[in-house]
Amino acid sequence: MSALNSLQSGVLLLLGVAAFGLEVWALVDCLRRPAGAFVAAGKRTKTFWTVIVAVAAAVGFVSVFSVLGLFGIIAVVGAAVYLVDVRPAVRQYGGGPRRDDRGGSGPYGPW
């Protein structure tokens, strides 16, 4: 039984780290976007979404070391809603790398 408990603990740790990574990604992306992009895209304010994903990241950090159950799930849902719904809408208004700026370009133009 000890091996099974160890495996379960390892899986829970892995899931907690993955969830925390998702929440940090959402927070960093939210902080990079201009405040006007949220309103222009018809979404809630930047402050609202920053608070949501910051709380989600804080709960996710705690969840890595101790399973919070429902609170951890709610934190992942908050970050996922931002990444799936809000991020694509505000992305077109700037604040992050544009699709044509990513990869394939050197200091003197495209490779």
Side-chain angles (χ1 to χ4, degrees), residues 10 24 29 40-41 44 56-57 61 63 66 69 72 77-78 97 100-104 111:
V24 169
D29 187 79
R44 301 288 300 254
F61 178 75
S63 293
S66 66
V77 169
D100 58 346
D101 287 345
R102 276 193 254 149
W111 290 99

Side-chain angles (χ1 to χ4, degrees), residues 25 29 33 37-38 41 43 79-94 99:
W25 175 29
D29 187 79
R33 304 292 169 193
F38 291 83
K43 302 297 178 185
V81 167
Y82 172 81
L83 290 171
V84 172
D85 183 45
V86 179
R87 182 176 184 255
V90 298
R91 190 176 199 180
Q92 64 187 351
Y93 296 100
R99 288 186 187 263

Side-chain angles (χ1 to χ4, degrees), residues 14-93:
L14 184 65
L15 288 173
V17 169
F20 180 59
L22 180 87
E23 293 150 359
V24 169
W25 175 29
L27 178 60
V28 169
D29 187 79
C30 185
L31 292 173
R32 292 177 56 193
R33 304 292 169 193
F38 291 83
V39 176
K43 302 297 178 185
R44 301 288 300 254
T45 64
K46 179 178 181 173
T47 303
F48 174 83
W49 283 108
T50 301
V51 168
I52 294 293
V53 294
V55 169
V59 170
F61 178 75
V62 173
S63 293
V64 169
F65 302 107
S66 66
V67 179
L68 291 182
L70 184 61
F71 291 115
I73 293 170
I74 292 171
V76 169
V77 169
V81 167
Y82 172 81
L83 290 171
V84 172
D85 183 45
V86 179
R87 182 176 184 255
V90 298
R91 190 176 199 180
Q92 64 187 351
Y93 296 100

